[in-house]
């Protein structure tokens, strides 16, 4: 069998296996994962429980969406709270380095809103600020992107107290030279509202939250985002399967050898196959 034939077989296997197995939370990147709130598991209208530790957001004024996730009304009476003890225990591990991913879809075309804010250690906030995003509580950089009404996996990474990158749907965003911040009060983590409950309420659906104790690579962020799209947008789509390619198969070098850690990332239901290297470059 020639090299091109090997690739064809690998793709066929990926689609065949995927069709028989629905994507599950364990398919996401696991290394360094500290907490995973999944909108299809351990959730009702009163609490949302972390699949790893059992820490739970206590919910007020939210409902469970038909396709999973929590639906927030965009008012001061619609939010979730992770208590002080759980906040300290979880986010203390993120003081110097980590990744926070929030999967969401806003019902508002514009305006300021916060999806998540934590007052502990790393002071993480993920929110839309006019046409930019603020991704920290304490004098953080503005990012030249803000979610609209499209489904989005928003990821922020940092190391040594410095914000490294922000990504939306696997695409890395650039920093602005400006800085801004949301002040925080109390010692909790909130979703759907500022910790002060004062304003910037989120109106829409939050599907998942993942917290890592290390900065994920762009390739890992893309992988998680594709799974989010498969599970929460495509419905009962099979999991994305990463298939290492043994050797170069095209003159342009699209498919390269396994030693460089480049390969296919097909997932059922996609109209195209993304090709990424170890750094997440397409």
């Amino acid at each position: 069998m020639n090299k091109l034939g090997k690739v064809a077989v690998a793709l066929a296997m990926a689609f065949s296996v995927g069709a028989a197995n629905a994507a599950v939370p364990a398919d996401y990147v696991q290394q360094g994962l500290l907490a995973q709130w999944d909108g299809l598991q351990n959730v009702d209208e009163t609490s949302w429980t972390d699949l790893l530790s059992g820490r739970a957001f206590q919910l007020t004024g939210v409902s469970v969406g038909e396709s999973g996730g929590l639906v927030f009304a965009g008012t001061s009476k619609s939010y979730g709270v992770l208590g002080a003890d759980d906040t300290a225990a979880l986010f203390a591990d993120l003081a110097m380095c980590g990744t926070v991913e929030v999967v969401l879809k806003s019902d508002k075309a514009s305006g300021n809103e916060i999806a998540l804010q934590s007052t502990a250690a790393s002071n993480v906030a993920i929110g839309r600020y006019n046409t930019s995003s603020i991704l920290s509580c304490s004098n953080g950089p503005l990012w030249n992107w803000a979610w609209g009404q499209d489904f989005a996996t928003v990821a922020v990474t940092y190391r040594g107290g410095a914000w490294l990158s922000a990504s939306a749907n696997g695409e890395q965003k650039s920093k602005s030279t400006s800085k801004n911040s949301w002040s925080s009060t109390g010692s909790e983590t909130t979703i759907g509202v500022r910790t002060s409950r004062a304003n910037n309420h989120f109106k829409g659906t939050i599907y998942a939250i993942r917290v890592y104790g290390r900065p994920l690579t762009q390739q890992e962020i893309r992988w998680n985002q594709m799974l989010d799209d498969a599970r929460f947008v495509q419905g009962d789509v099979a999991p994305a399967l990463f298939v290492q390619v043994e050797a170069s198969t095209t003159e342009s070098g699209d498919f390269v050898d396994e030693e460089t850690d480049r390969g296919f990332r097909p997932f059922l239901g996609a109209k195209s196959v993304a090709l990424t290297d170890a750094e997440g470059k397409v």
Side-chain angles (χ1 to χ4, degrees):
M1 182 183 295
N2 60 32
K3 294 174 181 177
L4 186 58
K6 287 183 179 179
V7 172
V9 170
L11 279 172
M13 289 175 62
F15 279 75
S16 174
V17 173
N21 298 277
V24 296
D27 291 328
Y28 292 93
V29 173
Q30 295 295 302
Q31 184 180 358
L33 184 61
L34 299 176
Q36 183 177 21
W37 286 273
D38 187 87
L40 294 173
Q41 297 191 24
N42 286 10
V43 61
D44 58 35
E45 294 182 353
T46 61
S47 65
W48 193 13
T49 303
D50 170 26
L51 299 179
L52 278 66
S53 69
R55 300 184 182 103
F57 281 97
Q58 300 305 311
L59 307 175
T60 299
V62 303
S63 59
V64 178
E66 292 183 2
S67 59
L70 295 175
V71 180
F72 293 82
T75 71
S76 61
K77 297 181 179 180
S78 180
Y79 58 88
V81 176
L82 185 69
D85 290 344
D86 285 338
T87 291
L90 174 60
F91 284 91
D93 292 334
L94 302 178
M96 293 305 293
C97 66
T99 301
V100 179
E101 294 182 316
V102 178
V103 186
L104 55 82
K105 185 179 186 302
S106 177
D107 291 340
K108 294 164 55 174
S110 61
N112 301 346
E113 57 183 1
I114 286 184
L116 177 147
Q117 183 174 20
S118 178
T119 57
S122 51
N123 286 328
V124 174
I126 294 179
R128 178 173 63 190
Y129 181 74
N130 296 324
T131 58
S132 301
S133 298
I134 295 179
L135 301 174
S136 72
C137 299
S138 304
N139 199 29
L142 291 176
W143 302 83
N144 296 320
W145 168 83
W147 63 71
Q149 292 177 281
D150 297 324
F151 178 89
T153 297
V154 182
V156 293
T157 66
Y158 51 96
R159 179 185 290 118
W163 296 88
L164 299 176
S165 70
S167 301
N169 291 341
E171 179 183 348
Q172 191 166 346
K173 304 299 181 180
S174 61
K175 291 181 183 179
S176 166
T177 55
S178 302
K179 292 186 176 183
N180 209 322
S181 64
W182 277 297
S183 61
S184 59
T185 60
S187 55
E188 306 167 327
T189 301
T190 56
I191 51 176
V193 70
R194 287 179 64 171
T195 54
S196 65
R197 317 284 200 278
N199 51 19
N200 299 340
H201 314 302
F202 180 81
K203 181 176 175 59
T205 303
I206 296 177
Y207 294 91
I209 299 169
R210 293 180 293 271
V211 178
Y212 291 85
R214 66 179 180 89
L216 296 187
T217 65
Q218 282 302 118
Q219 186 181 39
E220 289 172 322
I221 290 170
R222 259 195 206 97
W223 172 257
N224 281 354
Q225 182 272 323
M226 286 193 298
L227 280 173
D228 289 332
D229 183 78
R231 298 180 69 232
F232 299 114
V233 177
Q234 304 291 339
D236 57 354
V237 173
L241 297 177
F242 184 68
V243 181
Q244 295 282 7
V245 179
E246 295 182 1
S248 179
T249 60
T250 68
E251 292 182 359
S252 63
D254 285 341
F255 313 138
V256 296
D257 67 24
E258 188 172 359
E259 293 182 358
T260 63
D261 197 27
R262 296 174 179 173
F264 289 104
R265 282 196 158 186
F267 63 101
L268 193 63
K271 296 181 180 179
S272 61
V273 174
L275 302 164
T276 61
D277 63 14
E279 296 179 350
K281 297 178 180 178
V282 176

